[in-house]
Amino acid sequence: MADEAGLTPGAAGRIGVLGGGQLGRMLGLAGLPLGFSFLFLDPSADACAGSVGDLIQAGFSDPEAARKLAAAVDVATFDFENVPEATARAIQSTCPLYPAANALGAGQDRSAEKALLTRLGIQVPPYHEVSSRTDLLEGLDRLGYPAILKTRRLGYDGKGQALLRDPEDRERAWQKLGDSDLVLEAFIPFEAECSLVAVRGQDGEIRAWPLTRNVHSNGILKLSLPGVFDQALQSMATGKMSALMEHLDYTGVLTIEFFLVGGELLVNEFAPRVHNSGHWTIDGASCSQFENHVRAIAGLPLGGTGMTEHSLMFNWIGEMPDRRRALQISGLHWHDYAKSPRPGRKIGHATLTAPSLEDLQAKAVDLARIAGGEFPALLETIFD
Ligand code: AMP
């Protein structure tokens, strides 16, 4: 079992995960072959990670449940960044928690997150804190239209946001979000959205996967394509990542989402965890984000982050396309999270792999046709 330094290097053990969604499930699927077992904590009795480990059904603010998890595992982590910082601190007082509570807290408030990045010399979109109608007017005077009003806490996948195109939208946005603390951001006319997923070991070694181009629709990630940006951009992104990871004395996988505009990378947000835009690493990289997160928190050597083939990930939101038809495409890797379908819910993804970008694009056209909906149109934007 655990000693003060955490797991005995090289020895398998039990990993606790706060959150039992698809990210926890994929952490489990990556950690089981390394010999680890998993204990998840999630409010839902049918949390989909429950099929790859044991499950404590409890809320994230339940201190008794957090203590129970901490007492039963060698090391703990999370698959969900909105775990209350107090719960993370309670766990940390009993067993090692990676990333640590300070890193979890750093990204939970959009305004504090932007202030931290700015202090570290990392550029973010111009923003203005808003807690009153007067602040909103001041912010719009300063930033102009269009602008995006966002809740400071608990927003994700475009939730808790309102786009203000002109003064007509102001009152509607205030009615929708005015009950929360807010931040107003300048709307960035980006050329592309991209993300960097990286891992830092307990010894401070940092490895980053290739920068990944992302296409969103209605605030939700739909497509991720790694390996299409040049080395200069990769180095720029990795420099920002290293500054943040070192400042937080981070252990595990961290993701930064960027807007690419005029050759610059502005940070939209960071997530102290494995990320949807890194799912392609399961099938397209030497070592996946999930396996490397497990390796990092267990104090094991990190695996390679290079691409083994060209990859493209399709995210299945609310419904999955016909599996039998999709599996006819060679190089298709299917991931069903075993969650019941509901509009807007992430229920699975598929990654296509191919030896060349041309081959990948041809396969992607086939898969987009099978998936239907907006996929054929979105595909055109990612390969342009
Ligand atoms: P978020 O929940 O902050 O990651 O936002 C979801 C999506 O909304 C992003 O991936 C972008 O596509 C879009 N978005 C958010 N903030 C901005 C911004 N300041 N300028 C332009 N688009 C944005």
Side-chain angles (χ1 to χ4, degrees):
M1 287 300 281
D3 58 19
E4 268 178 36
L7 288 176
T8 313
R14 192 155 171 79
I15 295 176
V17 186
L18 292 156
Q22 67 271 14
L23 301 179
R25 178 183 166 96
M26 288 184 271
L27 280 172
L29 288 170
L32 290 172
L34 291 171
F36 296 107
S37 65
F38 286 81
L39 175 60
F40 299 93
L41 187 154
D42 196 276
S44 165
D46 63 355
C48 72
S51 51
V52 298
D54 297 316
L55 180 67
I56 298 173
Q57 188 198 351
F60 295 122
S61 308
D62 179 343
E64 200 45 51
R67 271 193 287 276
K68 194 170 150 193
L69 177 111
V73 300
D74 297 290
V75 62
T77 187
F78 35 84
D79 90 335
F80 172 66
E81 69 269 40
N82 286 319
V83 169
E85 204 180 330
T87 303
R89 291 200 184 280
I91 290 193
Q92 214 166 258
S93 63
T94 307
C95 84
L97 175 73
Y98 298 117
N102 69 315
L104 178 74
Q108 285 182 341
D109 178 317
R110 284 190 193 271
S111 187
E113 178 183 7
K114 289 178 201 305
L116 168 65
L117 291 165
T118 306
R119 274 204 308 282
L120 295 174
I122 301 173
Q123 259 183 295
V124 299
Y127 70 100
H128 191 90
E129 285 181 15
V130 172
S131 349
S132 66
R133 277 194 169 87
T134 315
D135 294 339
L136 180 58
L137 282 173
E138 272 174 22
L140 287 164
D141 272 353
R142 191 156 81 74
L143 305 178
Y145 292 92
I148 302 192
L149 193 59
K150 299 182 179 179
T151 55
R152 282 173 60 167
R153 293 186 160 267
L154 302 176
Y156 65 99
D157 287 343
K159 293 188 176 67
Q161 297 189 10
L163 175 66
L164 288 90
R165 287 184 203 81
D166 53 47
E168 304 255 296
D169 289 336
R170 207 169 50 217
E171 193 51 31
R172 183 190 45 83
W174 182 258
Q175 290 300 332
K176 181 178 165 193
L177 303 173
D179 289 343
S180 312
D181 283 333
L182 303 166
V183 61
L184 183 72
E185 285 179 26
F187 183 87
I188 304 299
F190 53 76
E191 288 128 41
E193 287 189 82
C194 54
S195 56
L196 189 75
V197 181
V199 61
R200 185 168 184 264
Q202 290 177 18
D203 59 359
E205 182 191 2
I206 294 175
R207 295 187 180 196
W209 284 269
L211 198 55
T212 297
R213 180 165 188 178
N214 300 317
V215 170
H216 295 80
S217 162
N218 295 321
I220 301 189
L221 183 70
K222 291 289 166 59
L223 297 170
S224 284
L225 176 68
V228 288
F229 295 108
D230 62 22
Q231 193 49 48
L233 217 55
Q234 179 79 26
S235 305
M236 196 191 292
T238 310
K240 294 173 198 289
M241 175 63 83
S242 301
L244 181 59
M245 282 182 146
E246 273 153 23
H247 172 79
L248 296 171
D249 192 16
Y250 199 85
T251 295
V253 166
L254 174 70
T255 306
I256 304 184
E257 293 182 50
F258 298 101
F259 299 128
L260 172 63
V261 57
E264 287 295 329
L265 289 173
L266 303 186
V267 175
N268 174 27
E269 59 184 357
F270 64 82
R273 55 167 169 77
V274 288
H275 195 258
N276 201 164
S277 66
H279 289 1
W280 66 268
T281 61
I282 301 174
D283 305 297
S286 302
C287 185
S288 76
Q289 60 166 350
F290 299 103
E291 182 175 335
N292 256 339
H293 185 70
V294 170
R295 288 187 187 210
I297 67 172
L300 293 170
L302 302 180
T305 49
M307 268 168 45
T308 49
E309 282 201 289
H310 289 278
S311 313
L312 175 64
M313 186 217 60
F314 284 64
N315 225 15
W316 306 138
I317 314 295
E319 58 178 340
M320 309 244 276
D322 187 90
R323 183 178 60 184
R324 180 173 291 277
R325 286 180 67 204
L327 288 174
Q328 284 170 359
I329 304 173
S330 70
L332 181 115
H333 307 270
W334 194 255
H335 298 265
D336 183 332
Y337 308 150
K339 288 163 74 171
S340 42
R342 215 189 292 139
R345 196 174 200 207
K346 294 179 178 177
I347 55 171
H349 74 269
T351 300
L352 285 170
T353 58
S356 71
L357 211 48
E358 294 69 37
D359 194 4
L360 183 71
Q361 191 165 0
K363 288 174 177 178
V365 168
D366 289 345
L367 183 56
R369 200 174 298 128
I370 293 167
E374 358 165 63
F375 280 107
L378 294 176
L379 200 58
E380 287 184 17
T381 65
I382 205 164
F383 277 110
D384 72 4

